[in-house]
Amino acid sequence: MPRIASIERKTNETDIRLRLNLDGRGTASIVTGIHFFDHMLELFTRHGAFDLTLDARGDLDVDQHHTVEDVGIVLGEAVQRALGDKRGILRAGYFLMPMDETLAAAAIDIGGRPYCVIKGNISAKRVGDFQTELVEDFFQAFAQSARANLHLRILYGRSSHHQVEALFKCFARALRFAVARDSRLKKVLPSTKGLL
């Protein structure tokens, strides 16, 4: 059975509807009101082989922060819900993503211990219409709500566009591996503690 979750979250700052299929084909229908962020989420979908439908309406007249952070929260909740009891998943994944002069790395463990570390300096304050300081807020929110341990690093690179894009791509590929199912372990919880 496909692992699908639908989440609706409404606050005084954002109104978000999201549907995620972890066993998809990389199709996306994404509207957040922040075009570069939409593009990054489309890359995430394609490189993760996820299907994602997202309609996020936020108080962009105030700032982009609420929208970006709340999308991270909802996406993390959707991953957590779609995984169900987590039996048979690989649980952890990592990936190195080159993009021209840039190299980025991601490692994730969906082990129930939320933590996020991001290393790397993005020099531009904006890429397109996107505030680059919000990259960290998005991934922090995702890690907390997915209850995942997430480490991201920009090893080197000149272009801020390439740095952000490489982060989203390697994150998607690492997550794709972590949520993948191993047929040999389909009834096994990937933890010696017996709890994830």
Side-chain angles (χ1 to χ4, degrees):
M1 289 182 60
R3 296 167 297 168
I4 297 171
S6 294
I7 308 271
E8 292 186 16
R9 183 175 193 268
K10 185 167 184 166
T11 70
N12 291 334
E13 299 164 341
T14 60
D15 185 356
I16 299 173
R17 289 173 178 76
L18 181 148
R19 183 178 188 275
L20 174 70
N21 181 353
L22 292 176
D23 303 307
R25 297 182 178 200
T27 63
S29 174
I30 296 167
V31 178
T32 67
I34 308 165
H35 300 299
F36 187 79
F37 187 44
D38 292 351
H39 180 47
M40 293 303 100
L41 293 170
E42 289 165 359
L43 293 171
F44 161 79
T45 302
R46 183 64 54 89
H47 284 264
F50 311 127
D51 292 343
L52 178 63
T53 303
L54 171 64
D55 181 20
R57 300 171 193 275
D59 55 357
L60 296 178
D61 55 322
V62 174
D63 193 272
Q64 296 180 357
H65 181 272
H66 299 144
T67 301
V68 173
E69 184 175 59
D70 287 6
V71 167
I73 290 169
V74 173
L75 183 60
E77 288 175 358
V79 168
Q80 185 68 230
R81 190 176 295 176
L83 284 173
D85 66 7
K86 298 181 184 168
R87 290 187 185 279
I89 66 167
L90 294 176
R91 178 181 150 173
Y94 63 91
F95 202 82
L96 281 172
M97 176 58 76
M99 185 165 181
D100 297 344
E101 84 298 339
T102 296
L103 185 65
I108 189 167
D109 176 15
I110 309 169
R113 297 166 62 108
Y115 205 88
C116 184
V117 176
I118 300 176
K119 299 283 186 183
N121 295 319
I122 301 168
S123 59
K125 294 195 183 300
R126 283 184 178 263
V127 175
D129 62 344
F130 180 68
Q131 297 168 236
T132 57
E133 70 177 13
L134 300 178
V135 168
E136 186 166 348
D137 297 303
F138 170 78
F139 287 118
Q140 290 280 0
F142 174 87
Q144 286 296 318
S145 61
R147 300 182 62 220
N149 198 306
L150 176 62
H151 292 250
L152 296 165
R153 186 161 188 190
I154 301 167
L155 297 166
Y156 48 79
R158 177 196 56 80
S159 164
S160 297
H161 182 126
H162 291 167
Q163 290 172 343
V164 175
E165 190 165 328
L167 279 179
F168 273 85
K169 285 178 177 177
C170 66
F171 165 63
R173 298 237 172 210
L175 182 62
R176 176 179 178 173
F177 191 84
V179 303
R181 293 183 278 201
D182 185 331
S183 61
R184 295 174 302 154
L185 304 171
K186 62 184 172 184
K187 295 185 179 180
V188 177
L189 189 68
S191 171
T192 56
K193 288 186 292 191
L195 179 68
L196 276 183

